[in-house]
Amino acid sequence: MIKLEDISVQQIKGVSAQKEQELHAFGVHSVADLLDYFPYRYEDYRIRGLEEAKDGEKVTIQGKIMSDGLLQRYGKGKSRLTCRVAVEGLLVTAVWFNRHFLKEQLTSGREIVLTGKWEQRRLQITVSESEFPDRGTMRSGSVQPVYSVGGSITQAWMRKTLAQALAQYGSMLEEILPVHLVDKHQLMTRKEAVELIHNPGDAEAGQTARRRLVYEELFLFQLKLQAYRALTRDRVQGVAHVVSAESIRQFVKTLPFELTDSQKKVVNEILIDMRSPGCMNRLLQGDVGSGKTVVAAIALFATVQAGHQGALMVPTEILADQHYRSLQKMFGAVGIEVGLLTGSMTERRKRDVLAGLQMGLIQVVVGTHAIIQDGVHFNSLGLVVTDEQHRFGVNQRSILRRKGINPDVLTMTATPIPRTLAITAFGDMDVSTLRERPKGRKPIQSYWVKHSMLDRVLGFIRREADLGRQAYFICPLIEESEKLDVQNAIDLHVQLQQAFPDMAIGLLHGRLSTAEKDEAMAAFSRNETQVLVATTVVEVGVDVPNATLMIIMDAERFGLSQLHQLRGRVGRGEHQSYCVLIADPKSEVGRERMKVMTVTDDGFEVARRDLDIRGPGDFFGTKQSGVPDFKLADMAVDFAILEEAREDAADLTRQEDFWTNPIYSRLRDLLKRDQLFQGDLLD
Ligand code: ADP
Ligand code: MG
């Protein structure tokens, strides 16, 4: 049977080849896509009585033209057209700007419908749209959908084309949701909902239709996550790591510190998953400095103990290098071979590492996404850890999984994720949280100072340097211009060299080669440079416990979560650490942010306040959060529906029926179209 997905929009009357091309830009290829191209709001053109018209608001009224149009022209083709219209016995003045061509049509006695801004005092309407009932088809008198349009595709064309599409193909709209869920939530059918959302009659009906379609969107999204989870955890033979608690204990003893209770707890959660035959897919979240790396190291140790290999993926080469060195230190003592694999390595070195991985000589590899590229073969990959997850997509993880076996996956992030957001973005994961920081850590003291106090800030650097400590000095961020960021860093570097002729000042920015960056970072971590001037390249992960001072120039240019990440570069050792925010913010939001930074250094609290300041829409919209863009659903208002959808999807995928019963074949087909599932689905 032919499906709407397979019918080109060109089959719709009035859609030319040229329009078809333009529709592609909106992601519309098939008739199904077009019918799913939902309006993002409605425009109310229902005709109102004058007593309902509110001053200063938009209104649609109908009346009889009482005078010829009066046209005034002034400068550069601008014009003002007025005429008098009798509406319910009152004489209203209608005003058009730059619509001189309408003058001919304004003839006394003709009925006219006017939409525009109403001015009560002057009985005047500034017309944005007008229509004549004697012309036939009318937009006014109804609620009209408003679509996102552009190019030669206008609002009117879109409305007409959707009406046409519904007329031609509406009857082919099929239910996708399982019947029991439609009943449970008392939803209208898919056909009803799609017809109604494009042509709602009134805005309330549009909302009812929207609710059904939001549920559908969230359910299908959750179904994907839950099915993925079911396939990767419960149905797929993963690696059942055989590893004794005793060997882990021995390894932990070699570490220079004791684990926190929190670390022990999450290590246990991870070990339970690793020992089980299913595939682990666990998210480890913990504030900056909470000690995630050592947890990863223990998990990697466990996979090697069980006779497999481990991989640690990180977002930047600086971090790869840092983790490589610290793992070498930890694993050297227990005879585990560690390799490094990054994009900028020479081909020769790469070849050696690749050979080592294939033969199993290298037991743990650290690297950037180079690790998952084609041509990388493992002897027996048991565990993949990704650090700072938000830089890695779900798809990248699944590429790894498709490299033959199904390794356990541990994903680490410092981005505190509210529960609801975790459900959305990570519905397929189990979550472990590090709640405490290592003992003996003193809270970071944060200060907000004005630019005029720069001298005192420099004095602060001197004082810490005299105590043997080190400082980061972060340059202002120039929106959209890495070049200016770099220039800022270079200027500041010169300035600090002049201020502190006796100190070594390092410089780190995005335009340096990888080798230069590594060198700058390594020199700072060996305390060969006392101050590191840097752009935000040091934002994530960097760990130099002897650094105690974080200075951020023009701090108002950074978002709260970024400021918190930057601040997290200090306070990583036993010494008291400080964060100095240099800012003269003129905006209220800027001042709010500085205030938040000075009152708390708890990442979850910062995230909560960030939410207050920015509002959830903005928060969830950020790319960083890893939340997908939904067509209709709005995370700020549709939480409740999301939770229901998740439970329904989880219930369904737990039933054997879902994977075999023909009544669900349509849903399974939908999953198959997703690249996550390629080669993975039953049937
Ligand atoms: P993050 O969670 O930000 O990745 P790291 O894993 O880099 O944090 O740890 C921050 C610092 O704390 C590192 O220098 C690490 O060696 C140290 N650390 C981790 N766990 C402990 C602990 N239990 N006791 C003392 N120091 C610890
Ligand atoms: Mg880290």
Side-chain angles (χ1 to χ4, degrees):
M1 202 189 71
I2 189 137
K3 295 200 188 99
L4 291 174
E5 285 87 345
D6 304 323
I7 304 175
S8 153
V9 282
Q10 266 204 67
Q11 301 296 315
I12 300 166
K13 229 167 77 191
V15 179
S16 61
Q18 140 108 45
K19 284 281 195 290
E20 188 209 359
Q21 282 304 315
E22 284 198 48
L23 282 171
H24 289 179
F26 300 116
V28 173
H29 299 265
S30 65
V31 172
D33 295 334
L34 184 70
L35 293 177
D36 276 356
Y37 197 73
F38 301 129
Y40 63 91
R41 66 180 177 87
Y42 295 107
E43 193 94 70
D44 193 344
Y45 291 102
R46 279 174 301 177
I47 296 166
R48 308 259 173 199
L50 278 183
E51 71 280 4
E52 274 186 72
K54 291 204 185 71
D55 186 46
E57 286 183 10
K58 198 169 160 189
V59 68
T60 298
I61 52 179
Q62 177 163 3
K64 189 178 280 187
I65 298 177
M66 302 303 283
S67 70
D68 284 347
L70 177 67
L71 184 65
Q72 296 161 272
R73 290 184 184 268
Y74 47 96
K76 287 193 197 144
K78 295 201 167 126
S79 69
R80 182 174 190 271
L81 177 64
T82 51
C83 90
R84 306 229 178 261
V85 179
V87 181
E88 299 163 30
L90 281 174
L91 214 50
V92 168
T93 308
V95 182
W96 287 260
F97 288 99
N98 310 323
R99 292 278 190 285
H100 56 273
F101 47 85
L102 282 177
K103 183 175 187 308
E104 307 307 308
Q105 301 177 35
L106 301 177
T107 46
S108 270
R110 197 177 184 193
E111 282 285 314
I112 189 167
V113 177
L114 303 164
T115 300
K117 191 174 154 196
W118 176 245
E119 280 174 77
Q120 180 68 46
R121 202 170 41 81
R122 293 200 271 177
L123 292 182
Q124 178 169 308
I125 182 167
T126 306
V127 182
S128 52
E129 289 167 76
S130 48
E131 280 192 309
F132 300 97
D134 57 19
R135 279 278 196 78
T137 49
M138 294 269 295
R139 165 182 63 244
S140 44
S142 64
V143 169
Q144 289 290 329
V146 180
Y147 299 94
S148 159
V149 292
S152 81
I153 293 181
T154 62
Q155 210 54 254
W157 186 88
M158 198 59 130
R159 286 172 185 158
K160 199 179 77 202
T161 306
L162 265 156
Q164 182 61 34
L166 281 169
Q168 275 175 258
Y169 295 107
S171 62
M172 286 172 68
L173 281 165
E174 279 177 22
E175 187 54 75
I176 306 182
L177 295 175
V179 187
H180 73 274
L181 293 176
V182 174
D183 289 348
K184 176 178 165 190
H185 299 293
Q186 302 190 317
L187 301 171
M188 57 177 80
T189 65
R190 175 155 230 280
K191 178 168 180 296
E192 283 171 323
V194 172
E195 284 174 346
L196 207 56
I197 198 163
H198 290 297
N199 194 6
D202 60 60
E204 291 71 47
Q207 282 311 314
T208 323
R210 180 184 176 278
R211 213 196 89 209
R212 137 88 215 201
L213 294 166
V214 165
Y215 174 83
E216 175 186 306
E217 181 173 36
L218 294 175
F219 173 77
L220 294 179
F221 171 71
Q222 283 296 331
L223 189 70
K224 208 162 88 174
L225 291 178
Q226 300 301 330
Y228 185 68
R229 178 193 175 110
L231 283 170
T232 51
R233 279 182 58 101
D234 311 335
R235 308 190 138 252
V236 162
Q237 193 61 35
V239 183
H241 287 89
V242 180
V243 52
S244 73
E246 187 48 35
S247 66
I248 302 280
R249 240 176 260 132
Q250 290 302 323
F251 174 63
V252 170
K253 268 194 206 149
T254 68
L255 299 174
F257 43 72
E258 279 212 15
L259 295 186
T260 64
D261 288 345
S262 227
Q263 282 169 327
K264 285 183 199 153
K265 181 164 168 279
V266 303
V267 164
N268 282 331
E269 287 166 355
I270 290 164
L271 286 176
I272 290 171
D273 280 2
M274 286 179 70
R275 289 190 180 117
S276 84
C279 269
M280 171 167 79
N281 188 13
R282 186 168 283 278
L283 178 74
L284 171 58
Q285 55 171 346
D287 203 354
V288 278
S290 58
K292 293 183 289 295
T293 312
V294 66
V295 174
I298 295 169
L300 290 166
F301 173 84
T303 202
V304 173
Q305 277 299 299
H308 302 284
Q309 290 164 293
L312 173 60
M313 289 212 291
V314 296
T316 65
E317 301 212 348
I318 292 179
L319 273 189
D321 210 59
Q322 175 186 300
H323 282 313
Y324 174 61
R325 278 183 278 125
S326 64
L327 287 185
Q328 262 186 329
K329 216 179 288 166
M330 281 189 245
F331 288 155
V334 290
I336 292 177
E337 195 60 41
V338 186
L340 176 69
L341 191 61
T342 64
S344 69
M345 276 165 52
T346 61
E347 288 305 314
R348 262 212 35 232
R349 283 183 58 206
K350 246 185 244 173
R351 256 202 320 273
D352 288 348
V353 175
L354 292 182
L357 285 174
Q358 185 146 28
M359 290 187 290
L361 298 176
I362 294 177
Q363 292 154 299
V364 172
V365 64
V366 182
T368 52
H369 49 260
I371 299 184
I372 61 166
Q373 263 143 31
D374 286 342
V376 184
H377 301 285
F378 291 87
N379 182 46
S380 169
L381 183 61
L383 173 71
V384 175
V385 182
T386 71
D387 196 9
E388 306 306 343
Q389 187 275 340
H390 52 274
R391 311 279 162 118
F392 287 98
V394 171
N395 291 340
Q396 283 168 303
R397 278 183 281 141
S398 84
I399 293 174
L400 260 176
R401 254 176 16 75
R402 267 182 255 140
K403 280 190 181 288
I405 52 167
N406 294 293
D408 285 337
V409 174
L410 177 66
T411 299
M412 306 197 290
T413 181
T415 310
I417 302 163
R419 199 181 98 79
T420 27
L421 183 54
I423 291 176
T424 339
F426 308 108
D428 59 332
M429 290 189 175
D430 298 302
V431 180
S432 288
T433 307
L434 281 177
R435 295 193 190 281
E436 55 177 339
R437 296 187 195 174
K439 281 187 204 69
R441 292 282 169 77
K442 304 177 181 77
I444 301 167
Q445 292 177 18
S446 300
Y447 305 100
W448 166 24
V449 304
K450 304 274 157 81
H451 284 87
S452 54
M453 290 166 77
L454 190 61
D455 279 349
R456 290 178 61 181
V457 174
L458 295 183
F460 207 163
I461 296 179
R462 165 68 65 195
R463 202 190 79 184
E464 287 300 294
D466 286 347
L467 291 169
R469 306 282 91 78
Q470 293 162 274
Y472 295 93
F473 208 135
I474 304 299
C475 281
L477 183 74
I478 308 293
E479 202 73 12
E480 320 272 345
S481 172
E482 196 201 15
K483 208 167 140 198
L484 289 179
D485 287 353
V486 168
Q487 194 52 49
N488 271 322
I490 293 169
D491 292 348
L492 187 61
H493 184 242
V494 171
Q495 202 183 338
L496 289 182
Q497 275 177 324
Q498 285 163 356
F500 304 113
D502 57 322
M503 282 189 218
I505 317 285
L507 175 64
L508 181 57
H509 59 70
R511 290 287 165 97
L512 296 178
S513 72
T514 305
E516 289 167 326
K517 278 187 218 162
D518 285 351
E519 189 37 48
M521 204 55 238
F524 188 65
S525 78
R526 289 192 297 260
N527 199 359
E528 289 162 14
T529 49
Q530 284 72 57
V531 181
L532 183 63
V533 175
T535 56
T536 50
V537 288
V538 298
E539 183 182 341
V540 288
V542 169
D543 184 43
V544 180
N546 192 51
T548 52
L549 182 53
M550 166 57 68
I551 303 165
I552 305 172
M553 191 67 137
D554 292 347
E556 75 277 6
R557 293 181 190 250
F558 298 88
L560 260 181
S561 67
Q562 215 177 3
L563 289 173
H564 181 69
Q565 279 287 340
L566 286 168
R567 174 169 60 185
R569 297 312 112 219
V570 298
R572 304 173 79 83
E574 75 228 77
H575 310 291
Q576 176 63 53
S577 291
Y578 309 89
C579 175
V580 178
L581 306 151
I582 305 178
D584 303 307
K586 289 186 187 57
S587 74
E588 169 126 16
V589 170
R591 286 195 297 275
E592 281 291 315
R593 279 195 213 137
M594 296 309 122
K595 245 188 261 162
V596 171
M597 287 294 290
T598 54
V599 297
T600 180
D601 76 338
D602 172 342
F604 282 86
E605 183 63 16
V606 170
R608 206 183 58 71
R609 302 234 187 173
D610 199 15
L611 206 65
D612 286 348
I613 298 176
R614 287 203 272 162
D618 193 19
F619 188 84
F620 292 112
T622 55
K623 293 227 166 45
Q624 219 196 24
S625 64
V627 174
D629 266 345
F630 292 111
K631 248 190 298 193
L632 269 184
D634 174 355
M635 282 311 98
V637 295
D638 295 322
F639 274 162
I641 302 181
L642 176 68
E643 298 224 16
E644 282 171 1
R646 188 181 74 117
E647 271 166 39
D648 293 339
D651 281 349
L652 189 59
T653 52
R654 270 197 290 267
Q655 291 166 27
E656 189 55 34
D657 227 27
F658 174 73
W659 303 96
T660 49
N661 193 326
I663 62 169
Y664 297 120
S665 68
R666 185 94 205 269
L667 284 178
R668 291 197 299 269
D669 281 349
L670 270 178
L671 294 180
K672 273 189 218 152
R673 288 173 182 237
D674 195 281
Q675 57 162 316
L676 271 184
F677 294 93
Q678 258 148 45
D680 271 343
L681 280 187
L682 306 179
D683 243 5

